[in-house]
Amino acid sequence: MQLARKIEQFPDKSPLVTLSWYSPTGAPPPAGIGSLKPARITDYRDLHYTSVCFLDCADRGASREVTRLRQAYGPALYLVAATEGAGAAFQSELFDTGVDDILLQDGPEHLLRCLLRAKRHLTLLQQQERRLDDLQEQLDRWQDGLDHLPTPIYLKDVDGRYLGCNTAFSQFVGTTRSGVIGQTLADFLPQEVADAHRESDLEVMRKGGVLRVETDVCVPETGMRHVMLHKASIESADGHLRGIAGVMIDITERKELEARLTAAAERDPLTNAYNRRKFFEVAASAIEHRPDGGSAFAVAVIDIDHFKSINDKLGHGEGDLTLCSIVDTLRSHEDQGVVVARAGGEEFFAFFAGENAERAAEILEQMRGDVARYCQVTTVAGAAGTISIGLAAFDPEQETVDQALRRADLALYRAKRDGRNRLCLAP
């Protein structure tokens, strides 16, 4: 009979059956049990490797001993109470305190039935343990696979406590996986951050499906990262809400690439000023979102004086440095409602909105004076590196930005004709 719960392997692979008789008073076993030659135990701590234990229950104090054995060994011991003539109340008390079976009468037929029940019980228990081992092996394989993924993955219950996670997630919050289980996000992050994530958890549990959220997080090893959170509600087969599963995808590199592509699409690569396309986008947006009461607008066309002579005398490298220096000076006057963009070559556009449009001439004169003071060079053509400016105020109800720029361009020609390094206003 294969009765042992804790199997000791012998060369023939047969499991060992271990029987014991436990009497706290040292009483001998009944004749039937004694014929099986059980190990005689007087101290319950010696029952470590016992599979089936016959317990001497000759007196009603045995219930306390049953309780002690269950506290020490849990269900790992098949416990048979040996007692003669026990009434129904005592039998019920023994079962309530934890015995698996009761041997009421000594004799081969009673003992055989008791052992057969023990065999059936332990066989079923072994099958259950094998199924649990198989399930644990499957769970371990899944956990091992998740732990090899660099993407943080987690599982929460409806109260926001973590039920499981992979190594990447435990590293993200700065602890071990066992340190995550049973905790909430408030145990790892500031309360206000945890509350925000808890609100999104509740939202996905209320609405169901999958929620995608982009956010910045601070990772212990790499600092601030931009991540995409995917959260999905989890329901049982009967539709009962069980919690949420989440995945954190690091999209920092993607966002950085997007930022570089955006900058390449809207900025001049040499000077880092806005390009023509971005200039017209900013102007159109400002006009579209102007207050209902209207708003003042102005545009300017700016040209560097004798820029070709700088390239011819000092070289294109020096010309590029002068160009960048002038752009930095112009952009130092940028403010909300003031935008400077490179139109091409040595020509620039400026856009003014609101109060800055009303004082556009003042701002442009400050730009011109600073450029003359810090960027001017001397060439065979005379003073170079200064700027000439044409300025035109306009009403978007009466003309477009392009039309205003054409008027500003004509004013620029007058500034060039009248000696350069000056500002002229368009009529």
Side-chain angles (χ1 to χ4, degrees):
M1 291 184 295
Q2 299 181 3
L3 298 178
R5 288 192 182 190
K6 296 185 179 179
I7 300 172
E8 296 182 12
Q9 296 294 338
F10 285 81
D12 62 358
K13 305 301 182 182
S14 299
L16 177 67
V17 176
T18 331
L19 301 175
S20 64
W21 164 260
Y22 172 43
S23 174
T25 63
I33 298 176
S35 66
L36 297 175
K37 299 188 178 347
R40 297 180 63 171
I41 305 296
T42 57
D43 188 337
Y44 75 97
R45 288 170 293 188
D46 295 333
L47 291 171
H48 285 297
Y49 300 101
T50 301
S51 298
V52 178
C53 174
F54 291 95
L55 173 64
D56 182 9
C57 294
D59 60 74
R60 297 187 62 93
S63 295
R64 293 191 299 272
E65 203 64 37
V66 173
T67 300
R68 185 188 344 194
L69 291 172
R70 283 298 177 223
Q71 289 175 344
Y73 296 98
L77 197 66
Y78 189 84
L79 193 57
V80 180
T83 179
E84 293 186 5
F90 186 39
Q91 294 181 45
S92 177
E93 180 183 336
L94 289 172
F95 277 117
D96 288 343
T97 51
V99 300
D100 296 296
D101 199 357
I102 297 178
L103 182 62
L104 293 173
Q105 301 181 47
D106 195 17
E109 66 279 6
H110 300 293
L111 184 58
L112 178 59
R113 286 195 294 268
C114 184
L115 292 175
L116 289 174
R117 288 191 295 268
K119 176 185 177 183
R120 181 176 181 278
H121 174 86
L122 295 178
T123 299
L124 292 175
L125 184 61
Q126 288 172 350
Q127 292 173 353
Q128 181 183 20
E129 289 175 346
R130 283 194 292 269
R131 286 194 295 269
L132 290 176
D133 288 343
D134 291 341
L135 290 173
Q136 185 62 52
E137 184 177 355
Q138 294 179 35
L139 181 61
D140 290 343
R141 285 199 298 266
W142 276 103
Q143 186 68 58
D144 186 57
L146 292 175
D147 286 339
H148 279 78
L149 294 174
T151 302
I153 301 171
Y154 62 85
L155 182 67
K156 293 181 183 179
D157 64 16
V158 293
D159 295 322
R161 296 195 175 279
Y162 289 101
L163 300 174
C165 70
N166 64 349
T167 299
F169 183 82
S170 64
Q171 291 175 344
F172 165 71
V173 297
T175 185
T176 61
R177 190 166 63 243
S178 60
V180 172
I181 308 304
Q183 304 299 311
T184 68
L185 196 56
D187 295 311
F188 307 109
L189 296 180
Q191 188 64 50
E192 63 274 12
V193 178
D195 289 344
H197 285 284
R198 177 59 179 165
E199 185 57 38
S200 67
D201 289 350
L202 294 174
E203 180 182 354
V204 74
M205 286 191 286
R206 283 192 300 264
K207 297 181 178 179
V210 178
L211 177 68
R212 295 174 180 86
V213 180
E214 288 190 24
T215 185
D216 291 320
V217 296
C218 186
V219 180
E221 293 184 358
T222 58
M224 193 63 67
R225 308 293 290 177
H226 198 82
V227 299
M228 170 73 79
L229 295 178
H230 291 250
K231 299 181 179 182
S233 61
I234 302 174
E235 297 180 352
S236 61
D238 59 1
H240 180 68
L241 183 64
R242 302 176 64 181
I244 64 168
V247 177
M248 302 175 61
I249 303 174
D250 191 333
I251 58 173
T252 304
E253 285 74 18
R254 192 193 80 184
K255 299 299 288 188
E256 290 174 350
L257 176 59
E258 289 177 355
R260 289 196 297 269
L261 292 175
T262 299
E266 64 185 24
R267 291 194 177 273
D268 172 58
L270 175 61
T271 64
N272 201 40
Y274 281 146
N275 55 26
R276 290 177 64 99
R277 185 179 67 82
K278 184 62 177 179
F279 173 83
F280 284 104
E281 284 184 3
V282 172
S285 177
I287 293 171
E288 179 183 357
H289 296 95
R290 67 185 183 275
D292 293 337
S295 180
F297 297 97
V299 291
V301 180
I302 304 170
D303 189 79
I304 300 176
D305 298 326
H306 297 303
F307 185 71
K308 183 176 183 299
S309 66
I310 297 176
N311 284 333
D312 291 344
K313 180 181 179 180
L314 303 176
H316 288 279
E318 187 64 29
D320 288 347
L321 289 175
T322 301
L323 188 65
C324 291
S325 177
I326 292 174
V327 170
D328 289 342
T329 303
L330 295 177
R331 293 188 63 199
S332 69
H333 294 273
E334 281 186 325
D335 196 356
Q336 185 175 3
V338 180
V339 175
V340 176
R342 187 181 183 188
E346 64 269 21
E347 188 174 80
F348 299 88
F349 292 158
F351 177 80
F352 302 87
E355 295 180 357
N356 284 316
E358 298 174 356
R359 51 187 297 269
E362 175 189 346
I363 296 172
L364 289 168
E365 277 292 351
Q366 292 174 354
M367 291 180 178
R368 185 197 61 76
D370 287 347
V371 170
R373 186 176 302 109
Y374 301 118
C375 305
Q376 179 176 283
V377 295
T378 301
T379 68
V380 292
T386 57
I387 57 174
S388 297
I389 308 168
L391 171 64
F394 74 100
D395 181 353
E397 298 293 337
Q398 302 296 325
E399 65 180 334
T400 66
V401 175
D402 273 324
Q403 292 169 334
L405 283 170
R406 282 196 289 271
R407 290 195 295 116
D409 198 44
L410 292 174
L412 170 66
Y413 278 115
R414 291 203 312 275
K416 292 281 191 181
R417 184 191 61 200
D418 293 344
R420 297 182 171 83
N421 191 21
R422 67 192 61 230
L423 167 69
C424 282
L425 303 178

